[in-house]
Amino acid sequence: MKPMLSLEEAQQRILSTVRPLPPADLPLAQSAGRFLATSVSSPINLPPFDNSAMDGYAVIAADIASASETTPTPLRLIGKTAAGAVFQGEVTPGTCVRLFTGSPLPSGADAVVMQEDTTVDPAHPELIHVRDRARPWENVRLKGEDVKSGSAIAQIGDRLTFGRLSLLAATGFANAHVHRAPTVALIATGSELREGGQDLQPGQIFESNRIGLSALVAAAGATANIHAIVPDSLEATERALGTALESSDLVITSGGVSVGEFDHVKQAFENLGGTLDFWRVAIRPGKPFVFGRCHNKYLFGLPGNPVSAMVTFLLLARPALLKMQGAREFGLRSQPGLLTTEIINRGDRRHFVRVTLQDDGTVVSAGLQGSHALSSLATANGMIDTPPKSGFRPGETVQILRWD
Ligand code: AMP
Ligand code: MG
């Protein structure tokens, strides 16, 4: 009898084996969702120079200290600076310079009056009548106020979100030093399985695990390659695994890992030179699960039951994919919700019960909880880790492990 591992022991064994993929420089445009392999500091100030936050006029704030709607202060217009240009002169008392959003603040000026607070008589366009006061540095974006040159802007293990990518671009980076996305081969085993669009013969079912898993793999930041369905023979399984191991960083199979006479994944992997860890993991759905290593490639043999395959992916394979990408955190996001239905686990294994956390913060069971039941998986957005021989009652606040 193989050992029954706790979920945490199984996760620990996997995470202590799997290594991040080597990092490389990647153009920012291709780096969304990747994880940084180095910390980054800014080589420049942001903004790089004092500049205008408005279309308006660069002024000396003291010049317009008494300006108002009824008694505007006239200033002499001495120039104009478009964004991207630099005014060569200096703003002196009684003068102003026309600016646009992003124009560098000319020397001598210490504020910007917005265009809407000024009036120009077309007969005397050289005079700008300012109808409101400005505090010193009003409407000025100061050099370095967003980011100081030399300061940290991202840490090793940070995921490159649109916001971090924008910051890296604004501070002048063209590339990011990131771990590449793992490629994942998806294999479905089972002589009963048919591709969608084919006719079902008696006893056959449509294959669904590769599609569900490919969406989960993509959401975890990796690249999924769907391989052909493999019938339950040792030769076919060995051939499919061999091709998959050659072409990918990691292979995920579903089905064929139980103790039945048609379960060939383990033997095929060993025949190819892989080293196996076969466990039963003390969770429901789940249980039979294979983790193996062949040189620098990994095998995750998931159970065939569709819900078991998805749940074991989320709890055991997803952390490995994140570690391979250089992430710092591997768990699913946990969010509280107010339970409105009763959840009972009469069994002796932890049950990951599929639930729907609604926008108003309440949680309902997603429906039928069998490891084959896909209708509930389709409406669920997370699961509740329910300890053996226990449960939760309506009105309790529970933690939802979110997968969306
Ligand atoms: P197995 O783990 O191979 O014994 O499969 C367990 C159950 O899951 C059986 O009812 C299979 O028909 C079903 N099953 C296995 N693989 C898939 C798949 N890729 N898509 C849908 N159902 C599957
Ligand atoms: Mg099977």
Side-chain angles (χ1 to χ4, degrees), residues 44-371:
I44 61 166
N45 282 300
L46 210 59
F49 47 87
D50 296 344
N51 71 91
S52 178
M54 296 282 173
D55 290 344
Y57 298 89
V59 300
I60 296 169
D63 277 359
I64 56 167
S66 60
S68 70
E69 285 291 332
T70 48
T71 55
T73 302
L75 295 175
R76 192 163 52 83
L77 183 64
I78 59 170
K80 176 160 85 173
T81 311
V86 175
F87 184 66
Q88 297 303 335
E90 187 173 345
V91 175
T92 51
T95 69
C96 65
V97 168
R98 176 87 170 114
L99 297 185
F100 305 88
T101 305
S103 300
L105 190 73
S107 69
D110 67 357
V112 171
V113 173
M114 59 180 188
Q115 186 171 324
E116 291 84 340
D117 288 338
T118 63
T119 311
V120 183
D121 175 355
H124 297 281
E126 74 286 359
L127 277 188
I128 309 299
H129 299 274
V130 179
R131 304 193 317 272
D132 198 5
R133 295 177 296 175
R135 283 170 283 112
W137 308 112
E138 192 164 331
N139 297 324
V140 175
R141 304 187 290 209
L142 294 171
K143 171 179 170 176
E145 74 174 12
D146 189 7
V147 175
K148 299 254 176 310
S149 176
S151 65
I153 52 171
Q155 304 298 324
I156 185 168
D158 279 349
R159 186 166 183 269
L160 291 180
T161 57
F162 72 91
R164 289 204 176 98
L165 285 165
S166 304
L167 180 57
L168 290 174
T171 47
F173 291 93
N175 298 310
H177 198 57
V178 294
H179 298 277
R180 70 176 171 82
T183 53
V184 179
L186 295 175
I187 292 179
T189 72
S191 295
E192 75 281 27
L193 304 175
R194 283 293 168 271
E195 298 277 0
Q198 295 181 339
D199 286 334
L200 285 188
Q201 302 303 318
Q204 298 181 337
I205 60 170
F206 289 121
E207 197 284 318
S208 62
N209 286 344
R210 292 171 306 166
I211 293 298
L213 289 169
S214 69
L216 287 172
V217 164
T223 306
N225 295 317
I226 292 186
H227 288 236
I229 292 172
V230 182
D232 290 315
S233 86
L234 182 59
E235 304 72 58
T237 309
E238 205 175 304
R239 223 174 12 250
L241 270 183
T243 310
L245 283 167
E246 260 168 43
S247 60
S248 317
D249 299 306
L250 183 142
V251 179
I252 295 180
T253 61
S254 70
V257 290
S258 300
V259 291
E261 61 199 274
F262 296 111
D263 294 330
H264 299 295
V265 170
K266 291 167 279 174
Q267 187 62 56
F269 188 66
E270 284 183 327
N271 290 354
L272 290 163
T275 313
L276 278 184
D277 251 334
F278 169 48
W279 321 310
R280 293 175 309 139
V281 184
I283 57 171
R284 189 158 69 97
K287 207 155 81 166
F289 179 85
V290 168
F291 174 61
R293 181 179 184 162
C294 190
H295 308 292
N296 56 346
K297 310 281 176 90
Y298 310 105
L299 169 72
F300 289 80
L302 311 183
N305 269 313
V307 181
S308 309
M310 304 305 141
V311 170
T312 49
F313 174 88
L314 286 163
L315 297 175
L316 294 163
R318 182 178 176 276
L321 287 180
L322 290 172
K323 178 150 187 197
M324 290 170 85
Q325 294 173 74
R328 277 193 305 262
E329 285 169 19
F330 314 116
L332 292 168
R333 181 164 60 95
S334 178
Q335 199 182 339
L338 186 68
L339 196 61
T340 59
T341 45
E342 182 160 54
I343 286 178
I344 306 172
N345 179 7
R346 296 201 170 82
D348 53 8
R349 283 181 278 151
R350 278 154 80 173
H351 190 184
F352 287 85
V353 177
R354 278 77 67 204
V355 296
T356 309
L357 175 61
Q358 301 174 118
D359 288 345
D360 65 0
T362 60
V363 188
V364 292
S365 165
L368 192 64
Q369 294 289 332
S371 59

